[in-house]
Amino acid sequence: MNSSKPILLVEDNPDDRDLTIMALRDANVANQIDLARDGEEALAYFADRSRPLPALVLLDLKLPKIMGLDVLKRLRAEERTRTVPVVVLTSSGEETDRQRSYLNGVNAYVRKPVGFDEFSDAVRELGRFWLVINQPPPLPVP
Amino acid sequence: MNDELFRGGFELSPIGMALLTPGGEIERVNPALARMLGYERPESLTGAPFESIAHPGDLARRIGSGNGNGAGGPSEQRYVARDGRVLDVLVATNVVRDEQGKPAALLTQVEDITERRLAERRICELRATLEQQVSQRTSELQAANHELEAFAYSLAHDLRAPLRAIDGFGSALASRHGDTLGTDGQQLLDRMRGASSRMGDLIDSMLLLSELTRRELSYTRIDLSSMARHIAEELASTYPSRQVGLAIEDGLEAYGDASLVRILIGNLLDNAWKFTEHRGGAEVEVARAGEGVFSVADNCAGFNMEFADLLFKPFARLHREDEFPGTGVGLTTAERIALRHGGVLWGEGRPGVGATFYFTLDPATDGERP
């Protein structure tokens, strides 16, 4: 179940970055994984219009420079990026973080579990839904 | 007026009294007023102008200032005693008229309220200090609370991340280098991963505990019987090897925050289930133990009542980790949930015989222990 469009992973912690990439590769859900190491890099990624939009954004909340929630707000305010699927992938199980994320238009909120096996399962499910299931139906064959 | 009657009242009155000429000169004062002003004999003041006892600052508004009748009051004024003390006084003045209706004299009654004023000022000062202290303590408490919240938030974020890394890279090590590690190496790795996962559980249970004090309760009517049954089904599928006899009384109802009460009952049942491990014929019972009092009982490991207080201390444990695993926060959390509802939670146990935990969720049934 590959997608030709990349996944953008916005994560500052190198361990978490590698773990997420490992989980994505294990799940075999994307050919290409692009990285942004803070909120600023994430916004610069979208500002470059020559680049195709990613199929999915995995967004950490606690980021240097520009926080995840502000990245999300900016994406939802722009016509071009308004409908890009964004999933918050965070350590925080705080109710306020969850509420604010949904109020600002996130598509899903996932709290990273400590166990890698559960995390891997969660990433596989996310990939399966956003890259495979949630696609426009195929055009009817004329 | 009956002169004799007046004189008797004047002389014996505990209220200070003075008879002034229409011009404001003191004709007579009674013993009470003389005492108030520090004179042994009332006659000492006869003939003196009224100004001599009034506070200079009050002269502009003193009684008998020649406004025609001088009557009025009661009003608050200040007098100066013989030794210079300033007295707060409450003064009322009547005009005494002759047969033609012309003012013949002024009758002034004086009450010494110095002590009362002093007490009032002290109360005002105390109140101000108290309010200041309260607001200082409040802001100190708020600061401490914010610090705790920041601490809990940091636990959620910063402590969990390294644990994820330990478990994640451990998993990668096992899958990529399993052959090189050998059986022993794999087992050691499993224990590392197990430890990181237990620490993750510890952090989560601490977070839940800290969240309990902050979160607002949303009350609904709760069917405790069916809630307990659902939880028991989950436990049965989590521990499929345990044979546990289960008895849940029908029609148990309470009013409370459903998601918190679920954690409360879940923790009590989980505890009971956990302690069935080294025992056949285990039985767990959920029942009503009195008006608004519910109980969860088991016939398993039990505990010594001497250590009952330890049960509710976070991270305190009565059993060795290798006997019965756990975080040591379950009962603390359950108790705090009962307390948040205004109820109580307590336990009774006998080692090797069993344990029963009781709880209430309603302040009205507080303390009615069966």
Side-chain angles (χ1 to χ4, degrees):
Chain A
M1 48 173 179
N2 273 331
S3 167
S4 53
K5 288 201 279 181
I7 289 180
L8 174 65
L9 174 61
V10 191
E11 173 66 73
D12 62 314
N13 181 322
D15 284 346
D16 270 340
R17 223 155 44 212
D18 289 348
L19 289 172
T20 311
I21 293 169
M22 264 164 50
L24 286 169
R25 295 244 184 274
D26 283 357
N28 194 27
V29 285
N31 286 333
Q32 189 188 335
I33 300 160
D34 292 339
L35 288 175
R37 284 166 302 181
D38 56 46
E40 211 171 67
E41 281 191 15
L43 290 177
Y45 180 94
F46 285 100
D48 178 1
R49 288 179 175 254
S50 64
R51 218 198 285 270
L53 286 172
L56 175 66
V57 181
L58 296 177
L59 180 67
D60 189 18
L61 284 183
K62 209 177 148 201
L63 290 171
K65 296 182 186 170
I66 300 172
M67 294 290 267
L69 217 51
D70 294 315
V71 172
L72 176 64
K73 284 180 198 168
R74 296 274 285 274
L75 293 182
R76 290 302 178 243
E78 287 262 340
E79 186 57 34
R80 193 172 88 98
T81 53
R82 212 165 44 84
T83 56
V84 173
V86 178
V87 173
V88 160
L89 207 54
T90 175
S91 285
S92 167
E94 290 283 313
E95 204 46 43
T96 46
D97 282 337
R98 195 182 293 272
Q99 280 171 7
R100 271 187 222 138
S101 299
Y102 278 113
L103 285 174
N104 284 292
V106 82
N107 295 86
Y109 184 104
V110 175
R111 187 190 187 208
K112 293 180 230 176
V114 165
F116 181 74
D117 297 340
E118 297 157 66
F119 179 63
S120 209
D121 288 347
V123 168
R124 182 180 307 115
E125 290 309 312
L126 283 175
R128 195 173 283 168
F129 182 79
W130 290 107
L131 304 180
V132 182
I133 298 173
N134 192 45
Q135 295 298 320
L139 293 171
V141 183
Chain B
M1 179 182 298
N2 185 324
D3 257 15
E4 213 170 317
L5 197 65
F6 169 75
R7 205 157 292 141
F10 189 84
E11 292 299 323
L12 294 174
S13 172
I15 302 279
M17 293 172 96
L19 208 55
L20 310 181
T21 65
E25 193 176 282
I26 296 174
E27 229 176 82
R28 290 168 64 182
V29 304
N30 73 347
L33 184 57
R35 263 197 311 278
M36 198 187 294
L37 294 167
Y39 294 91
E40 271 171 39
R41 298 184 316 122
E43 298 80 35
S44 315
L45 283 153
T46 305
F50 179 78
E51 283 89 337
S52 64
I53 60 168
H55 190 277
D58 291 349
L59 279 178
R61 57 185 178 93
R62 76 181 160 77
I63 306 301
S65 57
N67 60 358
N69 58 33
S75 69
E76 273 191 53
Q77 298 182 25
R78 285 174 297 170
Y79 284 0
V80 181
R82 193 184 187 182
D83 59 5
R85 276 181 304 121
V86 175
L87 307 175
D88 288 307
V89 287
L90 200 59
V91 179
T93 300
N94 285 64
V95 182
V96 183
R97 294 174 193 278
D98 62 15
E99 289 83 25
Q100 282 84 44
K102 287 202 293 184
L106 300 169
L107 177 64
T108 300
Q109 302 188 61
V110 185
E111 191 187 353
D112 185 355
I113 56 167
T114 311
E115 290 294 320
R116 198 198 299 169
R117 283 286 165 271
L118 199 67
E120 280 170 7
R121 273 197 290 276
R122 273 197 201 123
I123 288 171
C124 278
E125 282 167 19
L126 272 177
R127 189 181 295 152
T129 342
L130 229 118
E131 270 167 18
Q132 196 196 337
Q133 279 180 354
V134 166
S135 87
Q136 191 188 334
R137 297 276 148 79
T138 309
S139 59
E140 280 170 11
L141 273 175
Q142 275 169 350
N145 247 344
H146 282 307
E147 210 167 285
L148 271 177
E149 274 173 35
F151 179 68
Y153 195 82
S154 159
L155 274 182
H157 263 87
D158 304 333
L159 289 191
R160 283 168 57 94
L163 286 178
R164 271 201 310 277
I166 292 170
D167 192 68
F169 294 124
S171 160
L173 190 59
S175 65
R176 292 185 202 170
H177 304 279
D179 298 344
T180 335
L181 284 171
T183 322
D184 186 45
Q186 290 266 18
Q187 273 172 2
L188 291 175
L189 202 54
D190 283 348
R191 290 178 72 169
M192 275 172 59
R193 293 186 66 191
S196 71
S197 135
R198 273 198 303 285
M199 185 163 165
D201 291 345
L202 273 172
I203 292 173
D204 284 349
S205 48
M206 271 176 79
L207 276 174
L208 175 66
L209 202 56
S210 86
E211 196 198 313
L212 286 182
T213 44
R214 287 182 281 146
R215 109 183 226 172
E216 292 212 2
L217 303 189
S218 78
Y219 277 82
T220 52
R221 189 138 284 285
I222 305 166
D223 180 347
L224 293 179
S225 305
S226 75
M227 185 181 265
R229 258 179 223 113
H230 281 136
I231 297 168
E233 279 166 22
E234 283 172 20
L235 284 167
S237 68
T238 312
Y239 307 101
S241 60
R242 310 272 171 89
Q243 293 298 315
V244 180
L246 184 70
I248 296 174
E249 191 176 321
D250 282 323
L252 301 181
E253 278 205 345
Y255 192 62
D257 185 308
S259 63
L260 289 189
V261 172
R262 194 175 201 290
I263 296 171
L264 189 164
I265 299 184
N267 285 4
L268 291 183
L269 281 177
D270 189 63
N271 245 7
W273 230 265
K274 190 162 66 189
F275 291 114
T276 60
E277 177 160 14
H278 307 300
R279 186 187 172 102
E283 307 220 344
V284 174
E285 186 193 25
V286 181
R288 191 195 317 272
E291 184 62 37
V293 186
F294 306 99
S295 64
V296 176
D298 66 58
N299 62 344
C300 302
F303 60 90
N304 190 331
M305 284 302 279
E306 245 180 85
F307 305 120
D309 285 350
L310 270 182
L311 286 175
F312 301 105
K313 290 215 168 75
F315 305 109
R317 299 170 41 84
L318 293 186
H319 300 276
R320 294 200 319 269
E321 177 79 27
D322 56 357
E323 288 179 309
F324 301 105
T327 58
V329 192
L331 279 177
T332 317
T333 305
E335 187 195 28
R336 198 164 292 181
I337 291 171
L339 291 176
R340 274 298 316 265
H341 284 81
V344 282
L345 189 147
W346 71 98
E348 285 166 10
R350 279 172 64 193
V353 177
T356 305
F357 288 92
Y358 301 91
F359 67 92
T360 70
L361 295 172
D362 183 357
T365 52
D366 184 79
E368 277 183 29
R369 299 187 176 195

